Amino acid sequence: MDHGFPVKIDAKSLTWRTELPGVGHASPIVWQDRLFTVASLAESGERVLQCLDRDTGKVLWQNVVLKSPLEGKHRLNSHASSTPATDGELVFTAFLDGASVVVSAHDFSGKQIWQVRPGVFASKHGFCSSPILFEDKVIVNCDHDGPGYIVAFARADGRQLWRIERPNQTRSYCVPIIREMNGRTQMVLSGTKCVTSYDPRDGRLLWMIDGPTEQFVASLVYDEKSGHLLMTGGFPEHHILAIKPDGVGNVTDTHITWRTNKGVSYVPSPICESGWFLIVSDSGVAHCFDAKTGDIAWEERMKEHHASLVSAEGKVWFINDFGTLRTVKPGESYDLVAESELEDKVFASPAMSEGQIFVRGEHGLICLGKRSAKTAAR
């Protein structure tokens, strides 16, 4: 189990800092001795995949994935907001090329192995659909203002394996989660005026909930202790739902255990830790709920916040738009373990691995902490 994560930013915890060309809100990802992230280069219109050495932060290579005029977007979005994914052999990315989604696979040397265009995508807020991996598949959600879809490709060669035609034709940006729940493997997401669960092996619909609002960004989370899926969204109405994931068909009237409109986030994904459901709104008000009952344990103001929450060793890390990092121990009262400043704007969620935290700021990437000796020797 990973351990030894730093709780604050200081001279002792800062291992390295690397400036990166371009702009991107995608999170970094980690595989053994390599880090990967993506960026958009405004002057050239290039979207690039970047590979760094984990130990030193040195940029090993930067390869162009596509070159295209920059699409329109929300002022808080970027042109490289989709976090890549890797299986240890290939790195998978998703970008927008005009009105077309582009999904690509590169090997660890930066060579393109395949590239596909699954369909159109239209949204005045831009693009940020991150690929996820399951078994032999790479899956991308493309809810948008038009005929939305979720598509699964073969990791090896990009062949389409299944395709879900989505209802309601409304923009949303949720990354699905895949979990074992109630004896079934389920892929769950909110978006396009509903909450849905699918079988990730074939795209078959398992259950759905109508609404509770129109648009969503944050992913759902699953609390194993209470057995609840927790959903937050969105626009124009604001809701948090606790959902029992054992339904079949339309379960709108039967499987919502509790709901509230307090503390809702639109962009940052929440987290569950030790039976507590922690969430922070885009405006920066954090709440801690009892995941089983929905009772509020505490709330705290943290300024504007768009990075998702991360957890390890029974603690939760919050980092706001201004680079303020707070480490909190969940419980019945607000327990601030440490607070420190990155001195950079942050919109990307941190990545945590083997005792280290990697944070993508406006100007580059930093590494906090020392790699755990036990896992570093693997």
Side-chain angles (χ1 to χ4, degrees):
M1 183 176 179
D2 288 2
H3 64 278
F5 293 96
V7 297
K8 62 181 179 179
I9 305 165
D10 56 18
K12 182 179 179 180
S13 68
L14 182 60
T15 301
W16 51 256
R17 183 191 299 263
T18 298
E19 290 193 8
L20 292 175
V23 176
H25 293 174
S27 296
I29 62 170
V30 190
W31 187 275
Q32 296 181 354
D33 297 328
R34 296 289 179 263
L35 297 171
F36 300 95
T37 190
V38 294
S40 171
L41 309 183
E43 291 186 2
S44 65
E46 294 172 330
R47 279 52 148 209
V48 297
L49 175 63
Q50 299 163 327
C51 176
L52 288 78
D53 180 88
R54 175 186 185 141
D55 293 333
T56 65
K58 178 183 178 181
V59 177
L60 301 177
W61 51 260
Q62 173 177 288
N63 280 17
V64 177
V65 179
L66 68 87
K67 183 175 181 179
S68 174
L70 302 181
E71 67 268 12
K73 64 174 185 63
H74 191 280
R75 63 181 180 83
L76 295 176
N77 198 2
S78 78
H79 295 102
S81 292
S82 302
T83 296
T86 184
D87 58 6
E89 296 181 358
L90 299 177
V91 184
F92 306 94
T93 60
F95 291 99
L96 193 64
D97 180 4
S100 299
V101 176
V102 177
V103 182
S104 309
H106 291 73
D107 66 18
F108 273 33
S109 71
K111 178 184 176 183
Q112 180 181 297
I113 304 303
W114 56 259
Q115 187 172 88
V116 295
R117 295 171 179 262
V120 300
F121 186 95
S123 170
K124 65 181 181 180
H125 295 323
F127 184 76
C128 61
S129 299
S130 301
I132 59 171
L133 304 182
F134 176 73
E135 295 180 349
D136 61 339
K137 302 169 185 67
V138 53
I139 301 170
V140 183
N141 171 36
C142 296
D143 283 337
H144 70 104
D145 291 333
Y149 52 96
I150 306 174
V151 63
F153 303 103
R155 291 190 200 181
D157 57 16
R159 287 178 299 109
Q160 181 174 302
L161 300 177
W162 54 251
R163 186 183 185 96
I164 298 167
E165 302 300 333
R166 295 279 282 162
N168 302 322
Q169 301 190 7
T170 301
R171 77 182 81 104
S172 286
Y173 306 93
C174 285
V175 179
I177 66 167
I178 299 176
R179 299 287 186 274
E180 292 292 328
M181 296 178 288
N182 293 92
R184 297 181 294 183
T185 304
Q186 301 188 47
M187 181 180 73
V188 185
L189 74 158
S190 52
T192 190
K193 302 182 182 180
C194 58
V195 184
T196 43
S197 172
Y198 299 96
D199 185 328
R201 293 185 172 91
D202 57 16
R204 177 172 51 92
L205 178 68
L206 301 176
W207 55 261
M208 72 176 298
I209 289 174
D210 298 325
T213 190
E214 181 178 310
Q215 297 172 32
F216 305 83
V217 179
S219 294
L220 283 79
V221 293
Y222 179 56
D223 177 54
E224 292 185 358
K225 188 173 181 180
S226 66
H228 286 151
L229 277 165
L230 285 305
M231 183 229 78
T232 180
F235 180 85
E237 298 179 4
H238 306 282
H239 297 270
I240 292 173
L241 302 183
I243 302 166
K244 294 182 293 183
D246 60 350
V248 177
N250 193 308
V251 297
T252 306
D253 298 328
T254 57
H255 279 65
I256 299 172
T257 304
W258 59 262
R259 70 167 73 215
T260 183
N261 59 7
K262 296 181 179 179
V264 177
S265 76
Y266 181 43
V267 173
S269 294
I271 206 162
C272 287
E273 178 63 45
S274 306
W276 301 101
F277 174 63
L278 292 99
I279 188 169
V280 60
S281 67
D282 302 46
S283 61
V285 182
H287 284 77
C288 179
F289 293 86
D290 184 310
K292 182 177 181 180
T293 66
D295 295 336
I296 297 175
W298 52 260
E299 64 178 83
E300 185 75 17
R301 293 194 173 273
M302 296 185 175
K303 289 190 174 181
E304 289 84 349
H305 206 294
H306 291 88
S308 297
L309 310 186
V310 293
S311 69
E313 301 179 293
K315 298 182 284 290
V316 175
W317 282 255
F318 297 75
I319 187 163
N320 69 17
D321 295 359
F322 305 96
T324 303
L325 180 70
R326 293 177 176 88
T327 307
V328 175
K329 189 172 182 180
E332 294 182 357
S333 60
Y334 180 63
D335 184 358
L336 179 65
V337 177
E339 180 176 330
S340 53
E341 301 293 334
L342 178 62
E343 298 180 351
D344 198 3
K345 291 185 177 179
V346 176
F347 292 90
S349 306
M352 306 184 75
S353 171
E354 299 177 351
Q356 293 181 305
I357 305 174
F358 303 92
V359 183
R360 171 70 181 269
E362 186 176 41
H363 296 100
L365 190 64
I366 71 164
C367 172
L368 302 174
K370 304 302 180 185
R371 194 173 181 185
S372 303
K374 182 178 179 180
T375 50
R378 287 177 183 168

